[in-house]
């Protein structure tokens, strides 16, 4: 049944690729993967294979790859992606020796791929359970590890109709899961080769924090004192950073800032398109708004003149958000009124309170932030107003909730070392 579904899926991909550039890139990349490997594989090397579905899973696997590379340079690293949103962004990542798409999980593709690369071990990040690849790896005696995986009772493995497919879980040498619930669910299937280590993303956000950029334009906007200081005058306006926001998020927080003009507002929307940017600007009634890109290529004096009159800065480019959070007093992470919240850890690591929408139950880090007090869930605009009014009335609560956020991130780090300490790399 599984193989029938895969072939039907493949047919759907072929048809969809005729109309979608994104799907066409994926389909072309999958077909060319084995040819690429045959041309570039070093037959004398020992390859460790990391597979990440997309960009988020790559970020979880990245600390492992980089520590493995530092401590065991005798191995080479193969990195594969399933989604173009991962491959197209990280196809030039210097931490791997070979990077390509993973061919679709047919028996023929899996045999051809594994015969070409001959990995000595494999790491599958979070939600990756490819039936044919995993069974062939097990048959060949290749150790396979599931890293930062998380399981829930509603997943197919734990339903009566999914028990047959659930046998794929027994192909793994070891599971490094995020929480006790995942360990207990696997135990019900008779799988006990499990260690609770947490999520490697906590290690990753510490790396991101250490590599954060100084952003002179943002510093000028929020009126930071000194050339490289991050200390603002206590009498200056507080700063609210909204990261990865969508329209439903913006419709909640923008009206509050239209009424409270003593705050500086930085918005880094998830979708950077002219229509969306104009929509945001239209909501900011009478505010002095500037776009980051309008300042980035101008003379310093022109920038300062624009920034001196502005109280809203829109980040209309990618790659800055994780560094921008460092300048916030309070943060908001978008997506919680849609498919799910974005990366709350990138904000929390800077010791700031984090506000987010209700679709967060699948995100362990959001649950942890709520439990420690550093994260606050809102259901609607009234919740947002209540939280912000508390910060206005009790400004000391901003620092307290920020400390709780930062402490939570710090106490959850260490998963990378726990994984590699339990893997035979000799």
């Amino acid at each position: 049944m599984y193989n029938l579904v895969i072939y039907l899926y493949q047919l759907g991909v072929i048809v969809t690729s005729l109309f979608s550039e994104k799907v066409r890139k994926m389909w072309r990349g999958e077909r060319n993967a084995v040819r690429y490997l045959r041309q570039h594989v070093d037959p004398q090397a020992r390859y460790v294979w990391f597979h990440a579905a997309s960009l988020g899973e790559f970020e979880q696997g990245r600390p492992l790859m980089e520590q493995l590379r530092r401590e065991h340079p005798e191995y080479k690293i193969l990195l594969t992606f399933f989604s173009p949103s991962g491959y197209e962004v990280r196809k030039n990542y210097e931490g791997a020796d070979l990077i390509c798409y993973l061919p679709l999980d047919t028996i023929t593709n899996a045999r051809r791929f594994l015969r070409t690369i001959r990995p000595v071990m494999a790491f599958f990040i979070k939600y990756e359970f490819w039936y044919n690849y995993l069974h062939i790896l097990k048959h060949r005696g290749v150790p396979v590890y599931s890293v930062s995986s998380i399981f829930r009772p509603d997943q197919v493995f734990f339903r009566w109709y999914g028990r047959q497919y659930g046998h794929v879980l027994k192909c793994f040498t070891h599971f490094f899961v995020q929480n006790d619930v995942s360990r207990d669910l696997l135990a019900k299937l008779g799988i006990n080769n499990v260690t609770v280590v947490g999520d490697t993303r906590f290690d990753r956000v510490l790396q991101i924090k250490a590599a954060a950029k100084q952003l002179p334009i943002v510093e000028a906007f929020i009126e930071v004192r000194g050339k490289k200081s991050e200390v603002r005058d206590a009498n200056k306006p507080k700063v609210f950073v909204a990261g990865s926001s969508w329209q439903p998020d913006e419709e909640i927080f923008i009206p509050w800032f239209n009424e409270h003009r003593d705050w500086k507002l930085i918005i880094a929307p998830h979708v950077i398109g002219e229509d969306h940017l104009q929509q945001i600007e239209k909501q900011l009634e009478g505010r002095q708004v500037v776009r980051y890109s309008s300042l980035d290529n101008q003379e310093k004096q022109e920038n300062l003149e624009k920034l001196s009159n502005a109280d809203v800065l829109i980040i209309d480019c990618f790659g800055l958000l994780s560094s921008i959070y460092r300048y916030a007093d309070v943060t908001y992470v978008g997506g919680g009124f849609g498919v799910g919240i974005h990366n709350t850890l990138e904000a929390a690591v800077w010791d700031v309170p984090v506000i987010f929408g209700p679709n967060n139950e699948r995100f362990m880090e959001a649950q942890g932030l709520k439990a420690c007090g550093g994260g606050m869930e809102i259901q609607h605009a009234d919740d947002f107003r209540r939280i912000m009014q508390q910060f206005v009335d009790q400004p000391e609560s901003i620092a307290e909730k920020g400390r709780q956020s930062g402490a939570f991130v710090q106490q959850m780090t260490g998963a990378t070392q726990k994984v590699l300490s339990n893997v035979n790399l000799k």
Side-chain angles (χ1 to χ4, degrees), residues 218-231:
V218 178
E219 292 181 358
F221 171 71
I222 65 173
E223 301 174 86
V224 165
R225 293 197 312 270
K227 193 170 184 181
K228 289 193 175 180
S229 171
E230 294 177 18
V231 179

Side-chain angles (χ1 to χ4, degrees), residues 205 209 325 331 333 343-354 369 374 401-409:
V205 293
K209 180 180 180 180
Y325 282 131
T331 63
V333 175
N343 193 337
T344 54
L345 296 180
E346 287 187 349
V349 74
W350 290 105
D351 302 330
V352 292
V354 187
L369 284 169
K401 288 188 174 295
R403 282 193 293 270
Q404 291 165 341
S405 287
F408 169 70
V409 175

Side-chain angles (χ1 to χ4, degrees), residues 70-82:
R70 285 194 305 271
E71 297 180 358
H72 295 275
E74 67 271 22
Y75 293 105
K76 289 196 173 185
I77 293 175
L78 164 68
L79 171 63
T80 61
F81 291 97
F82 182 74

Side-chain angles (χ1 to χ4, degrees), residues 119-122 134-145 171 173:
V120 295
M121 70 184 69
L134 288 167
H135 276 85
I136 295 172
L137 286 166
K138 182 180 180 181
H139 177 74
R140 294 186 175 190
V142 178
V144 185
Y145 304 98
C171 293
T173 305

